[in-house]
């Protein structure tokens, strides 16, 4: 393969994007770019440092003092995100971050900085990138695009099992509704299903099936690319 291959995966909150993208990237030995983790990391910093994010000067100052990098961790056989040199992947998955992240991710200045960082991070690597605006804004020329969705109750059930044993089913379900609404209706690069994305409903699929579907489609695309 001569050029780098980029796969874009977008979709609703909790639709299985991260698990599928991470699993497919692991199987192919490719770079997994979790853009949601970047918005979560900034949200974590805003909360931790009590940044008045509605004050553009304070926000700008925070952004100039922030680095987000991805480093390969052999123990995980994958890339891990670092915020200002620290691994915060555990801290960014809690309910407090869930309830605030869509508000932070809607700020145009933040999006502009993150999109640049995402494009830079993927340079020179075969990449599977996952988020909300990947096929529409970050990598509009991606080689393959997917849009994942899943029944709302099933998404809430999965979240409860995986991340949030302390939150109730209804709290999680309401948070998913709210995040999908904000993510899809914000002015700056909202979640959209682009016309050339392959649609995958994961409601009745096991994780292995989702990963296999994406990997098979990528392999097929690589085969036709070579001809
Ligand atoms: O995929 P996730 O749940 O980790 O994403 C967290 C939030 O970040 C999500 O509610 C919307 C936002 N996000 C975004 O606006 N654009 C992206 N490319 C990825 C995530």
């Amino acid at each position: 393969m001569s050029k780098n291959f980029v796969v874009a995966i977008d979709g609703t909150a909790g639709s299985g994007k991260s698990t599928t993208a991470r699993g497919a990237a692991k199987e192919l030995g490719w770079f997994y770019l979790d853009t949601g983790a970047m918005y979560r990391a900034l949200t974590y910093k805003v909360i931790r440092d009590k940044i008045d994010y509605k004050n553009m000067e304070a926000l700008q100052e925070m952004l100039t003092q922030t680095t987000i990098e991805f480093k390969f961790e052999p123990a995980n056989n994958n890339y891990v995100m670092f915020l200002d040199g620290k691994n915060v992947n555990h801290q960014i998955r809690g309910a407090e971050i869930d309830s605030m992240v869509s508000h932070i991710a809607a700020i145009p200045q933040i999006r502009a900085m993150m999109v640049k960082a995402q494009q830079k991070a993927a340079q020179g690597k075969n990449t599977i990138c996952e988020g909300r605006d990947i096929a529409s804004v970050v990598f509009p020329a991606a080689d393959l695009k997917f849009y994942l969705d899943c029944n709302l109750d099933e998404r809430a059930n999965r979240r409860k099992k995986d991340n949030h044993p302390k939150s109730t089913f209804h709290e999680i379900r309401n948070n998913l509704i709210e995040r999908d609404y904000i993510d899809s209706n914000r002015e700056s690069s909202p979640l959209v299903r682009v016309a050339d994305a392959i649609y995958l409903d994961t409601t009745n699929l096991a994780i292995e099936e989702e990963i296999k579907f994406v990997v098979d489609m990528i392999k097929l695309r690589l085969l036709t690319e070579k001809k």
Side-chain angles (χ1 to χ4, degrees):
M1 191 170 35
S2 52
K3 73 174 188 70
N4 297 306
F5 203 90
V6 175
V7 176
I9 304 184
D10 292 301
T12 48
S15 57
K17 299 183 305 295
S18 302
T19 320
T20 306
R22 188 184 305 110
K26 243 184 196 179
E27 198 162 319
L28 294 164
W30 287 13
F31 176 43
Y32 163 49
L33 183 47
D34 176 357
T35 62
M38 299 168 77
Y39 293 100
R40 286 173 178 274
L42 290 181
T43 306
Y44 166 73
K45 188 164 176 174
V46 163
I47 297 172
R48 187 196 63 191
D49 298 354
K50 300 187 175 55
I51 306 290
D52 176 9
Y53 66 90
K54 289 183 180 153
N55 172 339
M56 279 309 130
E57 258 177 50
L59 183 72
Q60 206 59 51
E61 194 183 333
M62 181 194 93
L63 290 177
T64 55
Q65 292 167 7
T66 299
T67 57
I68 292 183
E69 301 157 286
F70 292 85
K71 293 182 194 160
F72 188 74
E73 276 207 347
N76 278 316
N77 187 26
N78 218 320
Y79 287 80
V80 174
M81 185 198 62
F82 286 80
L83 169 73
D84 300 330
K86 291 211 175 78
N87 182 340
V88 294
N89 286 275
H90 182 66
Q91 292 92 315
I92 62 173
R93 304 283 164 197
E96 196 183 1
I97 305 283
D98 268 4
S99 66
M100 184 141 165
V101 64
S102 282
H103 300 279
I104 298 293
I107 301 171
Q109 287 85 342
I110 290 209
R111 299 206 70 79
M113 182 182 165
M114 289 301 100
V115 169
K116 267 194 205 144
Q118 290 152 13
Q119 290 166 339
K120 193 168 163 222
Q123 267 171 17
K125 306 181 189 85
N126 293 317
T127 299
I128 301 187
C129 182
E130 162 261 307
R132 304 294 188 290
D133 58 342
I134 309 307
S136 54
V137 174
V138 185
F139 297 116
D143 300 275
L144 204 52
K145 300 172 180 176
F146 294 89
Y147 185 93
L148 265 58
D149 204 356
C150 174
N151 166 281
L152 177 63
D153 285 353
E154 176 62 18
R155 289 193 272 143
N157 270 325
R158 289 181 189 171
R159 280 264 139 153
K160 179 148 179 62
K161 263 193 244 151
D162 295 347
N163 292 358
H164 300 296
K166 284 190 205 133
S167 306
T168 68
F169 172 82
H170 285 286
E171 283 165 348
I172 295 170
R173 191 175 184 279
N174 287 340
N175 174 257
L176 291 173
I177 294 171
E178 189 196 19
R179 281 208 287 146
D180 283 347
Y181 182 81
I182 300 172
D183 296 343
S184 306
N185 291 285
R186 66 181 174 225
E187 274 188 26
S188 182
S189 51
L191 166 65
V192 283
R193 179 178 157 194
V194 297
D196 54 342
I198 299 166
Y199 180 81
L200 180 64
D201 183 337
T202 68
T203 308
N204 296 309
L205 294 180
I207 290 166
E208 301 71 38
E209 292 174 311
E210 290 163 35
I211 295 172
K212 184 175 179 328
F213 178 81
V214 168
V215 170
D216 285 351
M217 293 302 288
I218 294 172
K219 286 184 177 163
L220 195 65
R221 185 62 217 276
L222 288 171
L223 272 180
T224 52
E225 188 103 328
K226 277 183 194 151
K227 286 186 183 157

